[in-house]
Amino acid sequence: MSENKEHFKCLIIGSGPAGYTAAVYAARAGLKPVLYTGPEMGGQLMITTDVENYPGYPDGIMGPQMMEDFRKQAERFGTDIRMEMITSVNFSGDVHDIITEGGTHLKADSVVIATGASAKWLGLDSEKRLTNKGVSACAVCDGFFFKGLDVAVVGGGDTAAEEATYLAKLCPKVHLLVRRDEMRASKIMQERVKNTENITIHWNTQTDEILGEEEVEGMRVVDTKTGEKREIPVKGFFVAIGHKPNTGIFKDFLDMDDAGYLITKADSTQTNVPGVFASGDAQDKHYRQAVTAAGTGCMAALEAERYLAAKGLV
Ligand code: NDP
């Protein structure tokens, strides 16, 4: 294990819209930030196709291209971008200790966490094969492409309920696949789903296989009570069984809720540890949009700058 002790004013963990935006602001403020990309450079947008709801792209943009643009902008102002994962941190001191996957020890006066969240998947081979070919984990991102087509949503929580009602405005029929005989979603969301005429709830229903070779053509579902299998034609298959924030490495130091979302002070990205700021989907379970993640990344960098200035470090 190397004992390289590079010391940074601002270290950013994560390379989605939050991380890159924090980098643009921190670099322009002269903090000479270093950004560790994590395992999925570009984050969740790398598994999205067209992004049509990010302001400034009137013709839309592909998710991976957008992240490339973000990266270039962060680099233009001097961000040191490193394609490596951070595997552990120690936030107990005044200066923060960070260890990379390769065993490099780093020190940072301020840390911006932008590690995002990962959509949970069912784990079917067909799901993997048809991702971006009709299988999606984001109705707001991809729903538009299924306008006028029948789709399915898997899940029984608030996300599934929200995605189903969103898609019901675009699609003639939405099949909601709920694995139990009740939904976990809040009452109000359940009512909304039940009162939407073109949503059909299939209770006690699990997905056996998503059908289609080049694109989604349907799904085979199984009734968990009777074991009976049947096929339903759909063109879009939305998995909404929850997200998992990528915050495991912070659990010994940072306050988080039961699901692992980092808790920040009101109207701020400040965590319970001074100098550690949390942005993007790692701390936001409500909006989860590229534009909101970018917004909190900006906030985190501005707060890091103020923190460092107050300590006389910049
Ligand atoms: P949840 O964990 O609340 O729900 C996940 C759902 O997916 C459950 O119904 C679960 O079933 C089902 N599920 C899990 N694994 C599988 C599987 N392998 N196959 C089939 N179904 C599966 O996640 P959400 O993303 O819905 O919500 C996360 C949090 O964010 C919640 O606290 C929610 O309230 C909040 N949220 C709030 C919103 C709002 O206020 N507008 C919008 C979106 C989310 P089971 O119930 O059987 O475990």
Side-chain angles (χ1 to χ4, degrees), residues 155-157 178-185 190 194 203-204:
V178 180
R179 69 175 172 184
R180 291 186 292 134
D181 57 5
E182 59 177 350
M183 291 179 73
R184 184 187 290 267
Q190 290 198 36
K194 287 172 188 166
W203 301 104
N204 302 307

Side-chain angles (χ1 to χ4, degrees), residues 5-313:
K5 287 270 173 70
E6 280 183 288
H7 190 143
F8 301 96
K9 286 193 178 91
C10 180
L11 186 144
I12 300 165
I13 312 176
S15 55
Y20 284 139
T21 304
V24 168
Y25 276 78
R28 286 171 56 83
L31 306 186
K32 296 191 173 62
V34 61
L35 181 151
Y36 280 81
T37 62
E40 287 158 38
M41 191 166 172
Q44 289 189 73
L45 278 155
M46 301 305 279
I47 55 162
T48 309
T49 51
D50 295 73
V51 178
E52 296 189 329
N53 54 9
Y54 198 93
Y57 291 105
D59 301 320
I61 181 151
M62 300 298 275
Q65 180 60 50
M66 183 175 157
M67 285 301 91
E68 170 86 3
D69 291 348
F70 270 57
R71 182 181 59 74
K72 282 189 189 149
Q73 193 172 356
E75 278 177 336
R76 181 179 153 210
F77 298 108
T79 306
D80 178 356
I81 295 179
R82 301 183 180 182
M83 272 187 272
E84 212 183 336
M85 202 162 129
I86 301 298
T87 45
S88 78
V89 298
N90 184 338
F91 292 157
S92 58
D94 214 22
V95 176
H96 306 299
D97 288 310
I98 293 106
I99 303 179
T100 72
E101 198 178 9
T104 307
H105 288 235
L106 308 163
K107 290 202 168 288
D109 297 312
S110 71
V111 176
V112 172
I113 297 170
T115 48
S118 303
K120 292 186 195 160
W121 295 97
L122 295 172
L124 300 169
D125 286 343
S126 49
E127 174 188 56
K128 208 176 240 172
R129 185 167 45 82
L130 293 164
T131 293
N132 283 344
K133 295 172 183 164
V135 173
S136 166
C138 179
V140 179
C141 321
D142 297 330
F144 182 76
F145 307 109
F146 299 91
K147 203 170 178 183
L149 303 170
D150 289 353
V151 297
V153 176
V154 189
D158 278 329
T159 303
E162 213 167 64
E163 303 233 318
T165 41
Y166 178 84
L167 288 164
K169 294 187 191 119
L170 304 168
C171 305
K173 192 157 198 67
V174 178
H175 298 274
L176 181 62
L177 311 181
V178 180
R179 69 175 172 184
R180 291 186 292 134
D181 57 5
E182 59 177 350
M183 291 179 73
R184 184 187 290 267
S186 52
K187 253 206 154 51
I188 187 166
M189 291 303 290
Q190 290 198 36
E191 285 311 313
R192 207 167 288 167
V193 166
K194 287 172 188 166
N195 291 332
T196 305
E197 244 173 52
N198 57 335
I199 298 178
T200 303
I201 305 178
H202 301 266
W203 301 104
N204 302 307
T205 301
Q206 286 270 40
T207 311
D208 191 45
E209 210 62 74
I210 305 162
L211 306 172
E213 282 308 313
E214 293 305 313
E215 56 178 34
V216 171
E217 278 159 17
M219 64 214 170
R220 187 167 58 238
V221 296
V222 55
D223 185 311
T224 55
K225 289 250 154 92
T226 63
E228 186 201 330
K229 290 186 182 176
R230 65 203 163 94
E231 292 185 2
I232 304 172
V234 288
K235 285 295 194 183
F237 186 90
F238 290 84
V239 181
I241 60 172
H243 282 76
K244 200 178 167 348
N246 302 316
T247 56
I249 60 168
F250 310 114
K251 68 177 187 321
D252 293 339
F253 301 97
L254 299 184
D255 292 341
M256 44 184 85
D257 69 11
D258 291 344
Y261 287 95
L262 297 171
I263 295 170
T264 51
K265 302 215 164 92
D267 303 323
S268 158
T269 60
Q270 174 67 64
T271 66
N272 56 300
V273 174
V276 177
F277 305 91
S279 58
D281 287 12
Q283 60 97 41
D284 166 27
K285 66 182 174 198
H286 292 294
Y287 304 106
R288 296 190 193 123
Q289 299 300 298
V291 67
T292 49
T296 53
C298 159
M299 286 167 65
L302 293 174
E303 289 178 81
E305 185 191 356
R306 273 178 220 144
Y307 168 83
L308 294 168
K311 293 193 84 177
L313 294 168

